[in-house]
Amino acid sequence: MQVAVVTFDGFNELDSFIASALINRCRKDGLEAFITTPTPVVTSMNGVEVTGQRPMEFVTEADAVLIGSGVKAREVVADDRLISKLLLLDPSRQLIGAQCSGALVLARLGLLEGMPACTDMKSRAFVEACGVTVLDAPFHAEGNIATAGGCLASQYLATWLITRMLGEDAARAVIDYVAPVGENQETVDRAMRAVHAGVVALR
């Protein structure tokens, strides 16, 4: 099982790296994440250069796709060439998630029609301008589409994805491993509570 963590130029390190690192704790169980980029090298909002592990074309074959955020998110959604590489995302066969301003990309793709979303405070007005209701919550999921708001909510997006692909026990084990020493149980409980609260059962 493969996960594309879509990472654009100007990306937020916390969004892409936390999600991919947590998911890659599950390699032994057959779940692996790859930093997926539109160019061979992308530069973060803080000047960190990263070599992509997979090209954008990988999103069509991945079992799950997470769209990261960054300071150039509005440039991304205005770039028809970049967006065209994501047009084949299919929530009927893929799990699809977005972190913070990544919600703008899902909105541009028409994947948030009829559902609210989570995003960061700076992106909120732009997401709402797309006709999407923004929740005052860190995580929301309906069916195979999820959004998270706030950099550290990337752990909730990863928790949701691991739960969906490997089960809750696997997600709990990952969060327990990375939790601050002495705060393991409360960290695991908080992550699972956020995910359970954010998941909407589809009728």
Side-chain angles (χ1 to χ4, degrees), residues 1 12 25 72 83 118 131 153 183:
M1 296 174 286
N12 183 316
R25 292 282 176 187
K72 297 184 179 180
I83 291 298
C118 298
E183 299 180 1

Side-chain angles (χ1 to χ4, degrees), residues 34-109:
F34 300 91
I35 299 296
T36 302
T37 57
T39 54
V41 176
V42 291
T43 303
S44 79
M45 60 191 291
N46 293 307
V48 179
E49 292 189 349
V50 173
T51 299
Q53 296 172 294
R54 295 288 186 275
M56 285 291 282
E57 289 73 17
F58 175 64
V59 299
T60 59
E61 62 184 86
D63 301 288
V65 179
L66 299 182
I67 309 291
S69 73
V71 294
K72 297 184 179 180
R74 283 184 286 160
E75 294 176 33
V76 169
V77 297
D79 188 329
D80 291 338
R81 181 186 59 83
L82 271 182
I83 291 298
S84 69
K85 296 182 178 181
L86 297 169
L87 290 175
L88 295 180
L89 290 185
D90 183 358
S92 71
R93 64 176 181 83
Q94 294 173 305
L95 295 180
I96 299 172
Q99 178 69 36
C100 293
S101 60
L104 285 171
V105 176
L106 295 193
R108 168 73 196 275
L109 294 170

Side-chain angles (χ1 to χ4, degrees), residues 16-26 33 174:
S16 291
F17 293 158
I18 289 176
S20 61
L22 293 177
I23 293 165
N24 280 330
R25 292 282 176 187
C26 300
V174 168

